[in-house]
Amino acid sequence: MTQPTVILATASYDHTIRFWEAKSGRCYRTIQYPDSQVNRLEITPDKRYLAAAGNPHIRLFDVNSNSPQPVMSYDSHTNNVMAVGFQCDGNWMYSGSEDGTVKIWDLRAPGCQREYESRAAVNTVVLHPNQTELISGDQNGNIRVWDLTANSCSCELVPEVDTAVRSLTVMWDGSLVVAANNHGTCYVWRLLRGTQTMTNFEPLHKLQAHKGYILKCLLSPEFCEPHRYLATASSDHTVKIWNVDGFTLEKTLIGHQRWVWDCVFSVDGAYLITASSDTTARLWSMSTGEDIKVYQGHHKATICCALHDGAEPATS
């Protein structure tokens, strides 16, 4: 199977994962996933594998094969896995679960290597660009920084008591972090480096982005510079694009008929892919705010999407 340069995948409550040709909108591969729903998808930096976070396992599928079977299963979580991601050279994976833990998995060895207790259901985990800190957000409204070098929690903050943090995103250069919650609010902090390695949060902005839940917030990638955007996907059926300089509303992406669960930028920030309860995923032009492709094939809500259209990291 020849590998597409652009890998786009979606997962749905219909218990399938689908791979799409981004330009044509054709679905070229469907994986049945009968064991559970899929909460999150992530593609490895080298484009070889797709991680599917389910309940309570994480499964790794070969992107370049037609095999319906996963190549690996990671099984020590005890509840829904809500977050999954990879370290920049793909050596290890991190995850966060409703079982209240954040875990680290070495992809070259079996089992889970590290576990951090959040004491509440974890909804979101992001890796700081320095590759040495994980930031988690949980159902009780706590944000915690896990210092992987010191192997401990280095910072805790609660932007809004008893309001679930649904999504976290960090600017590619490590300068900003945004947390989105169930009240439609985004909290923005400047990340400051102290004399130690510990990250300090300096409050920068509070953005009332939506009236409904924010299900995903995402800052634009490095190759989008000098433009810096924040995308917020909401239960109000829209995605809003905010200019990070002043947090003014740039565009509202209108087209989905139901909740928008997930979004991902193309590598240059020129496009955005979204996934919605209306069963579709959509490709949007950031310059016009119009949807230019609708990916139709799922029979139930499309919950998550993953895109990798960048270069693979240089092999050492």
Side-chain angles (χ1 to χ4, degrees):
M1 194 172 145
T2 57
Q3 180 170 333
T5 51
V6 177
I7 296 156
L8 168 60
T10 57
S12 162
Y13 282 157
D14 66 11
H15 293 284
T16 66
I17 298 167
R18 288 176 177 263
F19 288 85
W20 307 86
E21 287 174 359
K23 282 203 172 82
S24 72
R26 185 179 79 88
C27 173
Y28 64 87
R29 180 184 176 193
T30 303
I31 298 170
Q32 301 296 325
Y33 201 95
D35 296 352
S36 79
Q37 70 195 50
V38 175
N39 304 305
R40 185 65 61 208
L41 291 172
E42 195 68 48
I43 299 158
T44 54
D46 62 8
K47 295 186 178 179
R48 287 181 60 194
Y49 301 106
L50 175 77
N55 185 1
H57 38 253
I58 304 162
R59 301 265 160 83
L60 217 56
F61 293 92
D62 189 335
V63 165
N64 303 311
S65 130
N66 274 322
S67 167
Q69 299 305 318
V71 292
M72 188 65 86
S73 187
Y74 300 89
D75 296 324
S76 77
H77 280 299
T78 57
N79 205 331
N80 261 316
V81 182
M82 301 302 287
V84 66
F86 295 95
Q87 173 245 9
C88 64
D89 55 16
N91 288 337
W92 49 266
M93 175 174 75
Y94 59 88
S95 60
S97 164
E98 288 181 347
D99 66 14
T101 65
V102 173
K103 291 180 190 267
I104 291 180
W105 317 76
D106 189 321
L107 297 182
R108 300 155 299 183
C112 160
Q113 274 63 46
R114 291 196 198 174
E115 180 177 305
Y116 301 108
E117 275 287 343
S118 186
R119 302 190 295 280
V122 176
N123 292 327
T124 175
V125 183
V126 287
L127 177 62
H128 190 289
N130 63 21
Q131 308 292 305
T132 64
E133 291 171 308
L134 287 171
I135 309 173
S136 67
D138 70 29
Q139 196 64 19
N140 289 358
N142 303 298
I143 296 171
R144 291 192 174 90
V145 179
W146 307 95
D147 181 331
L148 305 183
T149 313
N151 206 19
S152 64
C153 178
S154 61
C155 178
E156 289 190 33
L157 65 157
V158 184
E160 215 173 303
V161 178
D162 290 338
T163 304
V165 176
R166 290 301 287 248
S167 183
L168 287 165
T169 178
V170 183
M171 186 60 86
W172 64 268
D173 61 1
S175 60
L176 290 179
V177 64
V178 181
N181 73 18
N182 271 354
H183 290 164
T185 312
C186 283
Y187 289 87
V188 187
W189 293 271
R190 233 187 230 105
L191 288 186
L192 303 172
R193 286 254 158 243
T195 44
Q196 308 84 24
T197 53
M198 198 181 95
T199 293
N200 294 306
F201 287 68
E202 180 189 89
L204 182 65
H205 195 75
K206 180 182 174 182
L207 175 68
Q208 193 54 50
H210 297 266
K211 288 196 173 75
Y213 302 141
I214 300 175
L215 303 167
K216 176 74 176 257
C217 64
L218 189 63
L219 287 160
S220 55
E222 178 179 358
F223 299 115
C224 188
E225 296 288 320
H227 302 294
R228 292 190 161 198
Y229 299 116
L230 170 70
T232 55
S234 171
S235 62
D236 69 10
H237 309 179
T238 70
V239 178
K240 291 184 178 176
I241 307 297
W242 308 86
N243 193 324
V244 169
D245 183 25
F247 291 93
T248 50
L249 182 62
E250 193 89 2
K251 289 185 177 68
T252 303
L253 309 184
I254 297 170
H256 280 300
Q257 304 300 309
R258 297 184 69 180
W259 290 24
V260 186
W261 285 97
D262 199 7
C263 61
V264 57
F265 280 103
S266 61
V267 70
D268 59 0
Y271 301 97
L272 188 76
I273 303 266
T274 55
S276 167
S277 291
D278 67 12
T279 75
T280 70
R282 287 171 191 253
L283 172 68
W284 305 83
S285 160
M286 288 289 288
S287 59
T288 66
E290 301 291 319
D291 58 342
I292 45 185
K293 190 59 66 182
V294 180
Y295 304 98
Q296 288 178 300
H298 285 299
H299 307 302
K300 290 185 178 173
T302 303
I303 296 304
C304 49
C305 52
L307 175 71
H308 190 339
D309 62 332
E312 297 91 80
T315 46
S316 49

